[in-house]
Amino acid sequence: MPLISSCEVDTALELITGKWKPSILLALINGDTLRFSELKRSLPNISQKILTAQLRDLEEQDIIIRTVYPEVPPRVDYRLSEYGKTLIPVLETMNAWGIQHAERMRQK
């Protein structure tokens, strides 16, 4: 078993946890390119300010790519970067563990 460092685990968790980042990543996980308004619709309880901040953070970490089209009105869309796609197995593993844990807690 590889040596696990809490520092690196904390770094990874900080990147993908929080109230909205997992939902944003899951909205983009199928390879879809979504406009800001489509992301907002898929997350109806998030404020525009928080969505913007979370998207900027994910963009700064090279997880998503933001593309601005020089149109009037401006069009902006988001997609997972190639680097961001490396999170897919992590999210799938976390989902599988979550299913097992929920079942375990139901049986308890």
Side-chain angles (χ1 to χ4, degrees), residues 1-17 87 90 94:
M1 180 166 206
L3 183 61
I4 298 174
S5 167
S6 73
C7 182
E8 281 76 15
V9 170
D10 289 344
T11 299
L13 286 174
E14 184 179 310
L15 176 69
I16 62 173
T17 59
L87 281 171
V90 174
M94 290 175 71

Side-chain angles (χ1 to χ4, degrees), residues 33-48:
T33 298
L34 298 177
R35 295 178 72 171
F36 183 89
S37 59
E38 294 170 318
L39 278 167
K40 177 76 174 90
R41 261 194 308 277
S42 71
L43 307 165
N45 296 322
I46 192 172
S47 71
Q48 184 167 329

Side-chain angles (χ1 to χ4, degrees), residues 10-100:
D10 289 344
T11 299
L13 286 174
E14 184 179 310
L15 176 69
I16 62 173
T17 59
K19 186 170 182 180
W20 296 108
K21 285 182 185 174
S23 298
I24 292 167
L25 292 171
L26 291 173
L28 297 171
I29 205 169
N30 294 327
D32 296 332
T33 298
L34 298 177
R35 295 178 72 171
F36 183 89
S37 59
E38 294 170 318
L39 278 167
K40 177 76 174 90
R41 261 194 308 277
S42 71
L43 307 165
N45 296 322
I46 192 172
S47 71
Q48 184 167 329
K49 179 181 176 180
I50 296 297
L51 179 57
T52 298
Q54 297 289 278
L55 288 168
R56 282 186 183 149
D57 190 40
L58 289 167
E59 182 183 14
E60 285 175 14
Q61 299 297 323
D62 297 326
I63 302 301
I64 63 170
I65 295 172
R66 176 180 185 260
T67 305
V68 180
Y69 297 91
E71 301 172 351
V72 178
R75 180 170 57 115
V76 178
D77 62 35
Y78 300 88
R79 63 184 167 85
L80 282 180
S81 66
E82 287 303 311
Y83 180 61
K85 289 176 185 176
T86 65
L87 281 171
I88 293 172
V90 174
L91 295 170
E92 290 172 339
T93 300
M94 290 175 71
N95 181 65
W97 186 88
I99 290 168
Q100 289 177 332

